[in-house]
Amino acid sequence: MSGLSEEGKKDVKKFTDWVNANSEEIPPEIVYPPKHDDHHGHGHEHKEIVIPHEETLREKMAKREHIDENFQEEWQNVMQKANDDPSSPERWYRLASSIGGALIVLVLLITVANLPRFGSPDAPAMNEVARRYLESGLQETGAVNSVAGMILDYRAFDTLGESVVLFTATVTVIFLLQQKERNHNKEDIEAVDGNYKGIRSLPAKVIVAITFPFIILYGIYIVLNGHLSPGGGFSGGAIIGAGLVLNHLVFGQEFSEKFINVNKCKKLMAGGLFVYIALKTYSILTGANGINSHIPLGKAGSIFSGGLIFPLNICVGVVVACTVFSLYSLFTDWSS
Amino acid sequence: MTTVEILLLLFLIACAISVFFIKNLLNAVIVFMSYSTIMAVLWLSIESPDLAITEAAVGCGVTTLLFILTLKKINALKEEGGEEDERTF
């Protein structure tokens, strides 16, 4: 200010005085463009931009900090009270919940103690249903692995329900999280979509580079061999999904997108479920009405056997693998 | 019941109880993961390999991963007074 002339200093003084005198009258929010009295007519409409006045912003921030402090103090007081005062309700809640938990554990333990011995022939699980599955399962379903024969032939409707539950859960999560993203403005979305470059640890990269193909191969083997050996669509799909997640985690988004991304996942999930429903509808229509099914059961023990179990396993595997991967992708937010 | 099975069952109970008493959430998740691993071996020992594979894939792999991601999401992986390890996540 020292560089100013006498005249300039006077002007600055005048201005600051004016601001001090009129600071009460400055509106809390500045509206641009300013509203004129209506002498221009209705030729065109301006879009209003509301800029909050700095003071109002500061007040809001101060209020918010105040609330946070108050809340923390309040909470600490409540906790302190609960610890000090023996008659406070918080103390009784704790006591009641401990007693309730102990009771539930007691009931469960008594139930377990009264169960029939594992594998005993008198157990209710060893009824004619289980005998039928074990004795004629191979003949009727063509699957060497009787578990696969059970869940994908006798009880395939159950498995359909499970797949639909997984599908619905994933679709709901996708819907909710995308809804949230849509409300951000553009800058936020660019931050959210930040390209994840992978982790920097060299040993992790080397180990995953070696094991990743084998994990995927093992998962595919379990899915395809589900009717012959332990495993099947669900466990194999989970292994493939976990392998894809590991790949994304270690090598980053760019490399992972070569294999799969969320959009492909959505299509694959819907496709897998659709194929499952179509195949099973055929089998229910023919089987339940005594119509001759045109799908051969094949020679027991070969890879193309078990009738519909083989393709159904693949469908379940695809749905589960995509579910696991898309849940992972939706939960990651690499910008934070 | 063999000695190994009894040992595994004891570990299982120890893991299940200690999850409640561990303050650090990340450690609790890791102990929970070891619970699933022991459970998978036990499924195998009572001749249900199907369940064992599923338990290993879902219990150890996917559940643990989702837990850790959730911890990351709610910023619970930060140690008190220390900085977050950026290499892992």
Side-chain angles (χ1 to χ4, degrees):
Chain A
M1 214 198 233
S2 55
L4 287 175
S5 64
E6 209 57 36
E7 199 73 4
K9 278 181 188 172
K10 255 184 204 166
D11 277 343
V12 170
K13 179 99 182 11
K14 225 174 167 181
F15 178 67
T16 41
D17 282 347
W18 180 84
V19 169
N20 286 336
N22 295 283
S23 58
E24 291 294 307
E25 290 169 21
I26 295 177
E29 283 170 347
I30 299 161
V31 176
Y32 182 83
K35 276 180 186 163
H36 295 293
D37 291 334
D38 204 5
H39 57 266
H40 286 299
H42 300 280
H44 50 275
E45 283 183 13
H46 286 290
K47 199 184 173 190
E48 287 184 354
I49 305 166
V50 178
I51 306 163
H53 194 255
E54 197 184 336
E55 289 295 321
T56 8
L57 267 184
R58 283 228 186 93
E59 267 172 31
K60 277 181 188 169
M61 299 279 283
K63 220 182 248 171
R64 204 172 138 183
E65 274 169 22
H66 192 58
I67 287 170
D68 282 353
E69 272 172 18
N70 272 2
F71 176 75
Q72 279 192 350
E73 269 176 25
E74 192 101 334
W75 180 247
Q76 274 171 359
N77 281 342
V78 168
M79 294 307 285
Q80 194 66 33
K81 225 182 181 178
N83 284 333
D84 292 344
D85 184 11
S87 66
S88 77
E90 278 79 13
R91 213 181 169 89
W92 286 108
Y93 289 151
R94 282 191 208 173
L95 196 65
S97 62
S98 325
I99 292 174
L103 276 179
I104 291 173
V105 169
L106 197 71
V107 169
L108 289 178
L109 282 179
I110 290 171
T111 317
V112 168
N114 285 326
L115 282 179
R117 251 182 75 80
F118 180 71
S120 111
D122 306 326
M126 299 297 232
N127 54 12
E128 69 278 1
V129 178
R131 209 171 301 134
R132 167 77 182 262
Y133 286 164
L134 289 177
E135 279 170 1
S136 49
L138 183 58
Q139 258 184 351
E140 287 177 355
T141 66
V144 177
N145 178 15
S146 58
V147 177
M150 228 180 285
I151 61 171
L152 284 175
D153 195 295
Y154 292 117
R155 300 184 180 178
F157 198 59
D158 273 8
T159 315
L160 173 62
E162 281 169 21
S163 306
V164 172
V165 165
L166 263 184
F167 180 76
T168 317
T170 319
V171 166
T172 315
V173 172
I174 289 175
F175 179 72
L176 286 175
L177 292 186
Q178 281 187 343
Q179 193 78 4
K180 197 180 150 202
E181 266 180 19
R182 211 175 291 149
N183 289 339
H184 285 307
N185 55 36
K186 207 183 170 193
E187 285 170 29
D188 283 346
I189 285 182
E190 275 170 5
V192 167
D193 286 347
N195 198 350
Y196 173 61
K197 295 271 190 331
I199 62 176
R200 274 180 244 145
S201 155
L202 183 63
K205 279 192 171 178
V206 172
I207 289 170
V208 173
I210 294 170
T211 53
F212 172 64
F214 292 104
I215 294 173
I216 300 293
L217 192 65
Y218 181 58
I220 293 173
Y221 162 75
I222 283 189
V223 172
L224 294 188
N225 222 34
H227 53 302
L228 302 178
S229 64
F234 191 80
S235 31
I239 291 171
I240 296 175
L244 290 173
V245 167
L246 194 66
N247 181 41
H248 183 284
L249 198 60
V250 171
F251 291 115
Q253 195 168 343
E254 206 178 313
F255 186 68
S256 173
E257 294 247 316
K258 288 178 186 168
F259 299 96
I260 202 159
N261 58 30
V262 180
N263 281 329
K264 277 186 207 163
C265 270
K266 281 185 218 164
K267 285 169 194 161
L268 279 173
M269 269 197 301
L273 203 64
F274 181 75
V275 174
Y276 188 106
I277 292 172
L279 289 176
K280 209 53 218 172
T281 310
Y282 174 76
S283 131
I284 285 172
L285 281 179
T286 54
N289 295 312
I291 304 169
N292 193 20
S293 170
H294 289 287
I295 296 156
L297 286 184
K299 187 168 161 262
S302 79
I303 186 82
F304 293 113
S305 67
L308 280 174
I309 295 178
F310 184 67
L312 289 185
N313 255 334
I314 298 175
C315 294
V316 176
V318 166
V319 172
V320 172
C322 291
T323 304
V324 169
F325 186 75
S326 51
L327 274 184
Y328 162 80
S329 317
L330 290 168
F331 267 94
T332 46
D333 180 0
W334 302 108
S335 60
S336 61
Chain B
M1 199 182 270
T2 62
T3 329
V4 179
E5 278 178 34
I6 293 171
L7 271 179
L8 282 177
L9 279 174
L10 286 179
F11 269 125
L12 190 75
I13 295 169
C15 284
I17 292 174
S18 59
V19 166
F20 285 104
F21 296 103
I22 293 174
K23 291 280 180 200
N24 188 326
L25 289 174
L26 184 62
N27 291 357
V29 170
I30 291 169
V31 172
F32 191 61
M33 179 172 131
S34 61
Y35 172 94
S36 282
T37 319
I38 297 168
M39 205 62 217
V41 179
L42 283 173
W43 285 126
L44 202 61
S45 77
I46 56 171
E47 293 177 11
S48 23
D50 286 85
L51 272 179
I53 294 174
T54 312
E55 177 83 44
V58 177
C60 306
V62 179
T63 317
T64 311
L65 196 86
L66 286 181
F67 268 132
I68 292 178
L69 284 178
T70 313
L71 289 185
K72 160 75 184 163
K73 195 95 177 167
I74 62 173
N75 290 329
L77 284 182
K78 239 179 256 180
E79 289 201 5
E80 279 173 33
E83 287 205 353
E84 196 176 347
D85 189 359
E86 284 179 4
R87 279 177 310 162
T88 42
F89 285 98

